[in-house]
Every structure is written in structure tokens, then in C-alpha cells.
């Protein structure tokens, strides 16, 4: 499995098989449990990660950068001031030039086509650090968190309530790959991309899981092992925030919704959170909330991923 991931890109959760996700999570757990040993061994000594950010970030930037430090490597942060895709330089040239210096690229971009084009032209692995279409690194951390809390993934049911966005898309693919049922609850008009629904349902049929889209919050939460939400207006949709607040009313992750789920249901949010909108503060602070484990696990999951993509 280690060899199978060496040199690969990670643009979509669809790119990974269930076994490959398991291998990344196993490696993540091992590096998390043996932090001191990993720091001493410096498995990525001499390796550099180039990080391209078209959008803001707290978790993604800091978890990748500190992750590379722990693994003995180095990370370079490039802000939108440093590279202007299509303006200062083409995506193709950025990919070619960067991969002459660095060993792996992580990019947070608007259009998903940009990470795809970077991957086409880079001579090193390219990791999607969030595009408008997917957020695979987040979902690796989420699966690690659920596995830590529940001891397994296959057979569980996750209910995501909110916008059918990048996080929802990666969850649908990721859950389907590992055999976890995934229910998306959203207002009408905010469904996930139909192609993601069709493809994740096909993948789920093979893994013995189900992917469904519903519009009734109580129905979606029924029997859930995990309740998950994300902001109603993603980065780049700021001008729609007020209109979306109206349309998403009633689609909040709160204690009333948790009452429909299993008593041991965990609460998940990729963060940043807008308390009082998509999530109630109290629900985010229950003992079953794992939102800060998710944030920490960004680093551990990505460390597992980086080691395997770099053949270590
Ligand atoms: N969850 C997440 O990707 O956070 P940032 O936007 O802060 O990186
Ligand atoms: N859907 C959100 C996720 C932030 C981590 C966004 O794209 O802004």
C-alpha cells in the first residue's frame, strides 16, 4: 500500500481506495502515537513542501507547516501576493517551476481546475488543500477522528447538515470508500453536485454503504453516529452570506437536532465555525464534540499522507 501511494496526487477523496485511506490513517495514528520518535528520526529531512494559498487559512497552513517541521522537512508559504495565477504567471509555469525546487505541492485554490492543472504539469505530488469542489485533507482528518472515537468506520452513519459544498462532496466520496453511510441534509437548491451524488452512490454500493440526500433535518439525523456541519457561505461566497442565512434557517446543528441522533453521537465541524448560524455554541461544546480533535488531526492525517506520497 505504501508503494501504491508513492508519487501520487491527492485532488479528490475519490482518488483513494478504502484500503489506501486505511493505510494513511494507520500511518497517521502511528506518527501521532510516537511523536518524539518521529521528530528524532526526521523521515522527511531535506524535503520541502510548497504551499500555494489563494484563500485564507488557519488550520491548513499551520498543520502542514508544523507537520513538515515535525517530520524533519521544511514548508514554504506562498500567499496570493507571491503568485497570481493567470495574471503574473500561468498555472502550468507555476507547476513546472515549483516542482524543480520542491518535493511536494499543496494548493488552496478557488477553481478545482487549478489543482487539476497543477497536477498535470508538476513533477511531484500535488495535494488539494481545498478547492471550491473538494477538501480531501479535511476528510482524512475527520475519518481519523471518527475512527479514534468509535473504533471503526464501516457500518457507521454520518449525517452532514448544511450546504452541499466542497466539504460535503469530499465526505460523500470518503464515507462511500470506507463503507460508512452518509446522509446529506440541505435546503432545496443547495444540494451537492449531482455527479458527486451519482459517483459516491456507485462507490457506496461496492463498499456496502449508502449515500443519500434529504431535506428534512430530523429525518437526516435519525440514528446518526456523527453529526457534521460547515459554514453556510464558503470562502468566495461572502456576498451571498445574508441571503443564505435566511435560506438555511432550520438547518442548524444544535441540541434539538442531536436528540434525533444516537445518544453517543459525536459532533463534527471542519472550522472555522459561525456560532449561532450553522452550529449552536453549546452543541459544539458538548462532551461528544470532537471539533478540536478534528483540527489537531489535520496535522496527523496529513503527516501520514505526506510520508506515503513521498515513499517513506
Ligand atoms: N478546516 C480548514 O481547512 O480550516 P482553514 O480554512 O483555517 O485552513
Ligand atoms: N466550505 C468552507 C470550508 C472551510 C474550511 C469553505 O470552502 O470556505
Amino acid at each position: 500500500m505504501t508503494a501504491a501511494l508513492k508519487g501520487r496526487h491527492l485532488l479528490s477523496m475519490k482518488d483513494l481506495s478504502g484500503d489506501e485511506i486505511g493505510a494513511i490513517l494507520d500511518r497517521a495514528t502511528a506518527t501521532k502515537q510516537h511523536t518524539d520518535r518521529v521528530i528524532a528520526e526526521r523521515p522527511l529531512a531535506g524535503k520541502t513542501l510548497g504551499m500555494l494559498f489563494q484563500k485564507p487559512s488557519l488550520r491548513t497552513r499551520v498543520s502542514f507547516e508544523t507537520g513538515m517541521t515535525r517530520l524533519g522537512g521544511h514548508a514554504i508559504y506562498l500567499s496570493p501576493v507571491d503568485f497570481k495565477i493567470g495574471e503574473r504567471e500561468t498555472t502550468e509555469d507555476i507547476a513546472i517551476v515549483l516542482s524543480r525546487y520542491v518535493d511536494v505541492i499543496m494548493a488552496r485554490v478557488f477553481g478545482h481546475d487549478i489543482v487539476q492543472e497543477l497536477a498535470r504539469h508538476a513533477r511531484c505530488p500535488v495535494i488539494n488543500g481545498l478547492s471550491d469542489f473538494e477538501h480531501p485533507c479535511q476528510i482524512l482528518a475527520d475519518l481519523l477522528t471518527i475512527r479514534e472515537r468509535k473504533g471503526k468506520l464501516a457500518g457507521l452513519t454520518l449525517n452532514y447538515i448544511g450546504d452541499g459544498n466542497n466539504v460535503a462532496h469530499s465526505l460523500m466520496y470518503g464515507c462511500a470508500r470506507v463503507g460508512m453511510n452518509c446522509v446529506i441534509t440541505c435546503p432545496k437548491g443547495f444540494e451537492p453536485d449531482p455527479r458527486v451524488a451519482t459517483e459516491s452512490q456507485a462507490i457506496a454500493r461496492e463498499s456496502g454503504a449508502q449515500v443519500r440526500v434529504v431535506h428534512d433535518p430530523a429525518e437526516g439525523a435519525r440514528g446518526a453516529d456523527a453529526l457534521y456541519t460547515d459554514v453556510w457561505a464558503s470562502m468566495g461566497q461572502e456576498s451571498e452570506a445574508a441571503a443564505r442565512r435566511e435560506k438555511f434557517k432550520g438547518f442548524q446543528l444544535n441540541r434539538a437536532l442531536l436528540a434525533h441522533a444516537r445518544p453517543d453521537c459525536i459532533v463534527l465541524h471542519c472550522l472555522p465555525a459561525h456560532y449561532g448560524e450553522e452550529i449552536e455554541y453549546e452543541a459544539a461544546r458538548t462532551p461528544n464534540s470532537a471539533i478540536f480533535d478534528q483540527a489537531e488531526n489535520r496535522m496527523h492525517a496529513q503527516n501520514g499522507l505526506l510520508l506515503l506520497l513521498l515513499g517513506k
Side-chain angles (χ1 to χ4, degrees):
M1 197 52 64
T2 308
L5 284 162
K6 186 179 173 185
R8 293 251 300 271
H9 303 300
L10 176 60
L11 307 186
S12 164
M13 279 308 283
K14 192 177 62 167
D15 297 345
L16 297 170
S17 69
D19 285 347
E20 286 167 347
I21 293 170
I24 293 167
L25 301 189
D26 288 347
R27 200 62 191 276
T29 300
T31 56
K32 183 174 179 176
Q33 285 173 346
H34 303 287
T35 303
D36 292 344
R37 198 166 78 200
V38 173
I39 290 173
E41 284 173 355
R42 309 185 76 235
L44 296 189
K47 302 285 183 195
T48 302
L49 166 71
M51 306 191 295
L52 295 166
F53 281 92
Q54 281 192 319
K55 298 174 178 176
S57 168
L58 176 71
R59 281 143 290 270
T60 303
R61 177 183 177 180
V62 180
S63 59
F64 267 107
E65 200 164 326
T66 50
M68 282 303 283
T69 303
R70 285 195 185 201
L71 298 172
H74 179 64
I76 301 173
Y77 169 74
L78 294 157
S79 79
V81 177
D82 305 302
F83 70 100
K84 282 207 165 50
I85 286 179
E87 225 177 278
R88 185 161 191 268
E89 215 155 357
T90 63
T91 309
E92 177 177 349
D93 283 10
I94 293 171
I96 295 170
V97 171
L98 261 188
S99 52
R100 295 246 177 154
Y101 301 126
V102 306
D103 304 280
V104 51
I105 294 169
M106 187 278 293
R108 165 165 287 196
V109 297
F110 284 97
H112 192 67
D113 57 319
I114 297 174
V115 273
Q116 288 174 322
E117 197 174 352
L118 285 170
R120 253 196 313 280
H121 298 290
R123 282 205 245 153
C124 64
V126 173
I127 299 170
N128 177 2
L130 181 146
S131 70
D132 285 352
F133 201 66
E134 277 209 55
H135 197 2
C137 295
Q138 179 65 50
I139 274 53
L140 288 175
D142 301 338
L143 295 177
L144 181 61
T145 306
I146 298 167
R147 201 175 74 163
E148 285 174 352
R149 293 266 178 154
K150 300 285 178 193
K152 62 175 185 176
L153 294 173
L156 296 177
T157 298
L158 178 141
N159 172 218
Y160 169 96
I161 179 162
D163 188 23
N165 62 13
N166 44 9
V167 169
H169 291 165
S170 292
L171 273 173
M172 291 162 80
Y173 285 133
C175 289
R177 285 287 188 213
V178 301
M180 223 164 106
N181 302 309
C182 181
V183 185
I184 305 290
T185 309
C186 59
K188 290 210 168 107
F190 294 90
E191 290 84 1
D193 187 288
R195 180 169 60 83
V196 178
T198 310
E199 288 178 350
S200 58
Q201 280 160 353
I203 295 167
R205 272 195 291 280
E206 284 170 26
S207 68
Q210 271 194 355
V211 176
R212 291 190 296 133
V213 179
V214 302
H215 299 292
D216 173 15
E219 180 195 344
R222 201 170 300 134
D225 298 286
L227 273 184
Y228 194 131
T229 192
D230 181 19
V231 290
W232 290 337
S234 286
M235 290 181 274
Q237 297 174 331
E238 289 78 6
S239 64
E240 298 172 33
R244 282 172 172 257
R245 268 195 288 275
E246 287 306 308
K247 292 180 174 148
F248 281 82
K249 263 190 190 145
F251 288 80
Q252 187 189 62
L253 198 173
N254 53 31
R255 285 165 293 174
L257 190 72
L258 273 166
H260 296 280
R262 288 174 56 94
D264 58 353
C265 176
I266 60 170
V267 172
L268 301 171
H269 193 309
C270 54
L271 303 181
H274 294 156
Y275 297 114
E277 293 188 17
E278 78 277 359
I279 192 162
E280 180 192 42
Y281 180 83
E282 291 78 3
R285 292 294 187 279
T286 64
N288 283 344
S289 171
I291 63 174
F292 298 115
D293 291 353
Q294 285 173 273
E296 178 186 334
N297 280 336
R298 288 294 305 274
M299 179 179 65
H300 303 301
Q302 289 155 196
N303 285 355
L305 174 69
L306 287 164
L307 288 168
L308 293 177
L309 296 187
L310 292 171
K312 297 289 175 184

